[in-house]
Amino acid sequence: MAAVAENAIGSDDQFIHHRASSTAAAAPASEFQRDVRQLVDLLSKLNPSAKEFFPSSYSPDRLSHSQSPPNNLSGVIKDFSDDGNSNYRRKKNDYSQGKRRLNGRTLRAQREDSIRRTVYVSDIDQHVTEERLAALFTTCGQVVDCRVCGDPHSVLRFAFIEFADEQGARAALNLAGTMLGYYPVRVLPSKTAILPVNPTFLPRSEDEREMCARTVYCTNIDKKVSQTDVKNFFESICGEVSRLRLLGDNVHSTRIAFVEFAVAESAIVALNCSGLLLGSLPIRVSPSKTPVRPRVPRATMH
């Protein structure tokens, strides 16, 4: 009887031990199953039609007619379809770029044509005016524009002369060595074109041409100089200033001015002011091709 009891107790111990071992082994398995369920739940919430699941090289055009895409990709395919905005934007950008290239080529061709019709003249006597210089070169062809540059007190003045055609520019090269004033001029093909003057600024009447004769164009003006300073400078040397326009911005390091005098003789005297200090910089003065028109008041909004 005692042996039976001992066997019974031993069996119970073995059952308890086996149950405890089974419970310990089942614990990691249940945790693994729980992790799998969580992973499945997360994956089920993902949107397979999101763009980040498609490579940059993806295009619906590569799909054959037999390979119809799944329904949940319809939104993505619509974004890349032929009737979408992508092709339209591409065509529009190609058109805009082509138009810019065409405009750029046109402007470059026009500039190169102007350069071929222009000559560079140096060693110009300080007493030679633009009118006299242009008159010399009219024997070669029609002169479209003539610009004299440089310090009027120096023999290092130079000019650009533009003709109506290339034949005039080629003929002008033969005038190299011609005495004009006290020095023989040098004439070479130009490497740059003359910057055109806005035709709306040119004189429109005899009165405005008379205004131009009384006006000078002043450059290299110190930015710290005020309009009153410019007026006082020219009135102290040349005579009464009837109108003055001082221009400048935050981009350029210097300013420019158009100064109109009461009489033409004052403008002639003002041309001799090139090289004089106004503020901290030497100014450059040349005849003006445009009159100083009065400002038109802006209409007020009611």
Side-chain angles (χ1 to χ4, degrees), residues 28-300:
S30 62
E31 292 179 0
F32 173 75
Q33 292 176 352
R34 186 173 63 252
D35 293 340
V36 170
R37 283 196 298 271
Q38 291 178 353
L39 179 60
V40 171
D41 184 56
L42 289 174
L43 292 176
S44 64
K45 294 179 181 179
L46 294 176
N47 179 15
S49 63
K51 292 183 179 181
E52 55 264 26
F53 289 102
F54 292 86
S56 59
S57 60
Y58 170 78
S59 173
D61 296 336
R62 298 184 180 180
L63 294 176
S64 63
H65 295 289
S66 61
Q67 295 175 332
S68 58
N71 294 332
N72 56 4
L73 297 181
S74 58
V76 179
I77 294 177
K78 184 177 180 181
D79 291 341
F80 289 89
S81 61
D82 292 338
D83 58 349
N85 293 329
S86 60
N87 284 347
Y88 172 75
R89 287 195 297 268
R90 191 184 308 113
K91 291 178 182 178
K92 185 177 180 181
N93 292 337
D94 291 344
Y95 173 77
S96 300
Q97 292 175 1
K99 188 175 182 180
R100 285 195 295 269
R101 286 195 295 269
L102 179 61
N103 291 339
R105 285 196 296 267
T106 302
L107 293 175
R108 187 162 54 251
Q110 292 175 350
R111 184 167 60 250
E112 291 174 354
D113 176 66
S114 298
I115 294 175
R116 288 192 296 268
R117 293 185 286 106
T118 305
V119 294
Y120 170 76
V121 184
S122 61
D123 297 351
I124 301 175
D125 188 285
Q126 60 182 353
H127 300 290
V128 174
T129 63
E130 286 185 347
E131 291 77 12
R132 185 178 175 186
L133 184 64
L136 171 66
F137 284 91
T138 52
T139 58
C140 305
Q142 180 184 354
V143 174
V144 175
D145 200 353
C146 177
R147 305 281 180 90
V148 175
C149 312
D151 186 352
H153 297 289
S154 172
V155 295
L156 300 178
R157 297 170 73 205
F158 58 93
F160 296 92
I161 301 176
E162 181 181 346
F163 293 88
D165 50 42
E166 295 182 38
Q167 289 78 9
R170 285 196 293 267
L173 300 177
N174 297 324
L175 294 181
T178 302
M179 292 296 297
L180 190 61
Y182 293 102
Y183 303 98
V185 295
R186 296 177 59 203
V187 186
L188 298 170
S190 178
K191 296 181 179 179
T192 60
I194 297 177
L195 184 65
V197 176
N198 190 329
T200 60
F201 297 151
L202 295 176
R204 305 168 186 168
S205 63
E206 190 62 35
D207 290 340
E208 289 193 344
R209 279 189 283 273
E210 191 271 335
M211 290 169 60
C212 284
R214 295 186 282 108
T215 306
V216 295
Y217 173 65
C218 184
T219 61
N220 202 46
I221 300 176
D222 191 336
K223 294 189 71 170
K224 298 179 181 179
V225 173
S226 66
Q227 183 162 315
T228 302
D229 294 333
V230 177
K231 181 178 181 181
N232 293 338
F233 172 84
F234 281 105
E235 285 191 333
S236 65
I237 300 174
C238 311
E240 180 185 355
V241 174
S242 58
R243 191 179 289 118
L244 188 148
R245 186 73 51 79
L246 182 62
L247 306 172
D249 52 36
N250 296 325
V251 177
H252 299 87
S253 59
T254 59
R255 307 177 75 181
I256 64 173
F258 292 89
V259 185
E260 179 186 330
F261 294 93
V263 294
E265 287 74 12
S266 298
I268 296 174
V269 175
L271 297 177
N272 296 323
C273 293
S274 282
L276 297 182
L277 287 178
L278 178 55
S280 60
L281 297 175
I283 61 173
R284 293 193 292 269
V285 185
S286 59
S288 176
K289 296 180 181 295
T290 63
V292 182
R293 296 188 177 95
R295 294 184 182 273
V296 177
R298 296 182 178 178
T300 56

